[in-house]
Amino acid sequence: MNINSSVLLSKYIKAYTLKMVSKAKASHIGGGLSISDILAVLYNNILYFDSQKPLLDNRDRFILSKGHCCAALYATLALKNFFTMRDLNSFAQFGSNFMSHASHKVKGVEFSTGSLGHGLPYAVGKAVAAKSRNKKWEVFVLLSDGELNEGSNWEATLFASHHNLNNLTIIVDYNKLQSLTTVEKTIKIEPLKDKFEAFGCYVSEVNGHDHEELKNSLSKTNKKNSPKVIIAHTVKGKGVSFMENRIEWHYKSPDEDQLKMALNEIGVML
Amino acid sequence: MRNYFIDLLTKEAKSNNKIMLMVGDLGFSVVENFKEKYPKQFINAGVAEQNMTGMAAGLASEKFHVFTYSIANFNTFRCSEQIRNDIDYHNYNVTVVSVGGGLSYGALGYSHHAIQDYALMRSFPNMTIYAPGTRSEIANCMKQIFKSKSPAYLRLGKTLPKNLKKPNQPHDHAPGKWTKILECKNRESRKCILTTGAVIDDAVKMQKKEEFSNYHIYSLPIWGMKYKTLQAQQINKWDEIVTLEDHLEDGGFGSYILECNSSIQKVGETKIKLKSLNKNVCNTVGDQDNLKEHFKFAH
């Protein structure tokens, strides 16, 4: 599929994510929808890649640390022609490489994730590799807000800042909901911007559904001599009114009627 | 042992710029020479083993051969999920190097007793365990590690054996193969002590006792899940095998040999006995030799 508008791409990502999760009766549609705009901007406007050469040496590296939201990543990669849209039908099926946590066995997926707190250290390792080889490619890693409870992220941030890894961009999908309740009621992470700044990062806060804000903040020209952190304020379940900000859509999958209603709201019928 | 390891790594780094040594803020008086000679191939990750191990996976994904160096437990148990998911599952070329295997740091207390590490590291399908007991075994383990593209665990003890005068060892220790260390007087004997790691001295002491004077000494320095199928033929040669390891019995080397034995078609009945560390060592501190003596290790 050839889609050159990030806004249109994001609609298709949401639609296919909904369809995949519904068919597989899988979880995590809420988080999938909250990162769809970020993925659309990254893959449409920011990352350098060749979908026919997924291991191209000078590609930018993207790591989805919140691996439970992989359906949205698989949909994005299919829409960008890493594989066919039909391949998505095997999502979470027996024997499929498209398992319901991010799998490196899928073309275009750099790293398997699923347990939180693993993506950022790995991304830092890649950023160190690029620096030590004087490579120009960059590393982008997408974390969840609840994931910041994991101490490994803060170990990695300390290291990245100490070594001035300005080829590393950390994006936080700040949808404010965790597994059981809000981030605020689980483990407070505010003041988040101050925390990352205190760790030595260059931090910006954006509306994670505003494509222009995302493009500006993610732009490779917008950098300092330190790792970049983008706190993307998002809505869990974005785009589907009965899913937005509802904790249960961390787990539930839409039935056929709910899928139709959701696709209708997104404005893409598959 | 660690000094010999770092010498070999330093020599290799001269011709191989893919070698990357990461330390968890440890290695005083060991790693300095490497760091001075190859500063771009050295990273002190700080006291942060989870991040060090995750970063190692990231570096290995970009074709580096990474060595993560620390005291056993810190770069194994502390970051076990990073080893499991990031390194082993992706089959990355990372070698976890633990110093202080067994009771080498016995006086430093339970936090430093590396006596469950085999149990952890042998549970990973792609991982090969390298537990050398002699200088020759270290050299050959390193040779295999440099050739390998898969995850490795190198477990180093404190000292080389003092009681072994003429080790009868080949120059190549193929993974999964037993190596003859010392024959007993009765060459026809079908009994052996089988060691792994830095317990050769203990095996030699055992052999000097009348009870074990009829036992040859063999070692298996390179093993792991991948090499289980190679054990059948070697186990079948013996009437009796006594395994010896400075590790707790549960999940250790002896357990590995028992598992291998249980899955083979037996030619004869091989009796297998396990000698390992007494679990009460967990609550006791002391010099390695004193601890071994107190708990009658290898008696």
Side-chain angles (χ1 to χ4, degrees), chain B residues 12-135:
Chain B
E12 179 72 11
K14 187 178 180 183
S15 60
N16 183 355
N17 66 6
K18 290 179 179 170
I19 299 280
M20 183 69 82
L21 173 61
M22 301 182 83
V23 301
D25 202 30
L26 282 168
F28 179 72
S29 81
V30 177
V31 299
E32 289 83 353
N33 183 44
F34 185 100
K35 183 186 171 188
E36 277 172 29
K37 281 189 170 167
Y38 308 108
K40 288 183 178 170
Q41 291 169 253
F42 177 86
I43 295 171
N44 185 350
V47 191
E49 293 80 9
Q50 290 183 75
N51 183 47
M52 176 169 74
T53 307
M55 280 200 297
L59 279 155
S61 75
E62 300 297 341
K63 312 295 181 213
F64 282 90
H65 183 173
V66 190
F67 291 76
T68 57
Y69 178 99
S70 191
I71 289 176
N73 294 333
F74 304 165
N75 59 349
T76 54
F77 280 96
R78 180 57 172 261
C79 48
S80 57
E81 197 181 57
Q82 278 77 12
I83 296 172
R84 179 185 183 272
N85 295 6
D86 305 354
I87 293 173
D88 194 77
Y89 181 51
H90 292 81
N91 201 18
Y92 282 143
N93 198 6
V94 175
T95 301
V96 177
V97 184
S98 285
V99 292
L103 296 171
S104 304
Y105 294 123
L108 303 189
Y110 183 62
S111 63
H112 287 59
H113 291 180
I115 55 177
Q116 294 116 326
D117 52 330
Y118 292 148
L120 175 71
M121 301 304 275
R122 82 176 185 86
S123 70
F124 304 129
N126 291 316
M127 183 69 66
T128 299
I129 294 174
Y130 297 82
T134 66
R135 190 176 170 86

Side-chain angles (χ1 to χ4, degrees), chain A residues 200-216:
Chain A
C201 299
Y202 164 48
V203 190
S204 58
E205 290 191 83
V206 300
N207 175 345
H209 304 299
D210 183 313
H211 288 220
E212 289 312 307
E213 282 191 35
L214 283 168
K215 284 173 199 170
N216 288 335

Side-chain angles (χ1 to χ4, degrees), chain B residues 218-287:
Chain B
Y218 277 72
S219 75
L220 177 53
I222 306 175
W223 52 287
M225 208 183 285
K226 286 192 276 191
Y227 309 107
K228 277 188 153 179
T229 54
L230 299 177
Q231 302 310 311
Q233 201 186 1
Q234 299 174 98
I235 291 171
N236 269 334
K237 285 181 190 168
W238 302 97
D239 291 337
E240 187 178 323
I241 299 165
V242 178
T243 62
L244 183 66
E245 61 189 308
D246 53 351
H247 186 277
L248 297 184
E249 181 179 280
D250 292 58
F253 176 65
S255 302
Y256 172 80
I257 295 296
L258 278 178
E259 287 167 25
C260 295
N261 188 47
S262 72
S263 62
I264 63 177
Q265 194 175 358
K266 296 195 179 67
V267 175
E269 278 299 318
T270 304
K271 194 189 282 184
I272 298 175
K273 293 179 183 170
L274 274 51
K275 285 200 176 284
S276 55
L277 290 169
N278 184 317
K279 67 180 170 56
N280 291 327
V281 79
C282 300
N283 295 309
T284 315
V285 294
D287 173 76

Side-chain angles (χ1 to χ4, degrees), chain A residues 16-193:
Chain A
Y16 274 100
T17 305
L18 281 158
K19 190 181 165 190
M20 290 159 67
V21 168
S22 174
K23 179 174 180 283
K25 296 186 169 43
S27 297
H28 308 126
I29 185 61
L33 293 173
S34 76
I35 63 169
S36 293
D37 290 299
I38 297 167
L39 290 173
V41 170
L42 277 169
Y43 278 86
N44 204 64
N45 302 86
I46 305 296
L47 301 176
Y48 178 73
F49 62 87
D50 180 344
S51 58
Q52 299 311 298
K53 294 176 186 167
L55 297 177
L56 187 74
D57 184 55
N58 60 340
R59 72 191 186 280
D60 290 319
R61 274 66 163 167
F62 171 71
I63 291 110
L64 180 68
S65 191
K66 46 179 299 183
H68 54 290
C69 296
C70 63
L73 177 60
Y74 296 158
T76 307
L77 293 170
L79 287 159
K80 284 294 177 184
N81 303 312
F82 280 81
F83 38 82
T84 68
M85 303 310 296
R86 194 184 301 161
D87 288 332
L88 297 177
N89 291 334
S90 72
F91 174 66
Q93 303 301 308
F94 176 76
S96 171
N97 284 336
F98 293 79
M99 56 192 81
S100 57
H101 283 83
S103 169
H104 69 288
K105 294 173 184 174
V106 172
K107 275 184 194 170
V109 178
E110 297 279 350
F111 183 52
S112 288
T113 48
S115 176
L116 297 171
H118 286 247
L120 182 52
Y122 178 81
V124 171
K126 278 187 174 288
V128 171
K131 287 275 184 191
S132 79
R133 295 271 193 258
N134 294 317
K135 301 283 188 182
K136 298 298 177 203
W137 47 265
E138 299 200 5
V139 187
F140 297 77
V141 56
L142 178 53
L143 313 182
S144 76
D145 45 14
E147 183 173 8
L148 295 175
N149 299 167
E150 295 280 5
S152 54
N153 289 309
W154 301 102
E155 292 180 6
T157 306
L158 278 174
F159 184 96
S161 172
H162 180 84
H163 290 274
N164 303 316
L165 297 180
N166 64 351
N167 56 350
L168 173 71
T169 298
I170 303 165
I171 308 155
V172 180
D173 172 31
Y174 197 4
N175 63 32
K176 327 268 182 321
L177 285 181
Q178 290 195 213
S179 180
L180 300 176
T181 183
T182 61
V183 169
E184 179 70 15
K185 286 180 182 168
T186 306
I187 299 284
K188 284 191 197 89
I189 57 174
E190 285 295 346
L192 189 55
K193 185 168 190 264

